[in-house]
Amino acid sequence: QVQLVESGGGLVQAGGSLRLSCAASGRTYSSYGWFRQAPGKEREFVGVIRWSGGSTYYADSVKGRFTISRDNAKNTMYLQMNSLKPEDTAVYYCATGTTGWAIADEYTYWGQGTQVTVSS
């Protein structure tokens, strides 16, 4: 079992930066992903990190702007978001599972989400 808690969301102007955190407790799983969901839209893949080794993969929409990292000692994953755009506005969720990659249905456990709002 695992519990995930996101934090770090807020309001930022376009071009600004935010860092989101996802604190995990309990069992460590293989994949830790970030997803986002804007009102009226489907949940969208953002990026994923393999806990062992730290390899990452990002959606084209955020590639080059967002970076995922992890701190093994704190059992925490981070999403550093730079050059934010209004279209990045969404609730951001972290998730984990043994086989998850870029599809939401592949993940087993989800955090409660944290709101990110980017103003123009």
Side-chain angles (χ1 to χ4, degrees):
Q1 297 292 99
V2 65
Q3 182 175 346
L4 304 176
V5 179
E6 302 98 334
S7 62
L11 191 151
V12 64
Q13 291 190 17
S17 299
L18 283 174
R19 189 180 75 162
L20 306 184
S21 298
C22 174
S25 61
R27 177 178 170 81
T28 299
Y29 289 86
S30 298
S31 298
Y32 286 80
W34 285 99
F35 291 78
R36 65 188 184 186
Q37 187 166 24
K41 301 185 70 175
E42 297 290 326
R43 188 163 296 188
E44 176 189 17
F45 170 74
V46 175
V48 61
I49 186 168
R50 299 289 293 183
W51 201 256
S52 179
S55 60
T56 55
Y57 173 72
Y58 303 94
D60 289 342
S61 59
V62 306
K63 197 173 299 181
R65 300 188 297 120
F66 291 9
T67 303
I68 298 173
S69 61
R70 83 270 194 262
D71 186 329
N72 290 342
K74 296 182 178 180
N75 210 25
T76 300
M77 175 178 61
Y78 304 96
L79 179 65
Q80 178 66 48
M81 305 185 294
N82 299 325
S83 301
L84 283 163
K85 305 174 181 179
E87 51 263 44
D88 294 320
T89 296
V91 176
Y92 283 71
Y93 300 89
C94 62
T96 189
T98 58
T99 61
W101 194 239
I103 299 174
D105 289 348
E106 296 176 338
Y107 290 82
T108 303
Y109 300 101
W110 293 80
Q112 84 288 349
T114 185
Q115 176 71 46
V116 172
T117 302
V118 184
S119 64
S120 59

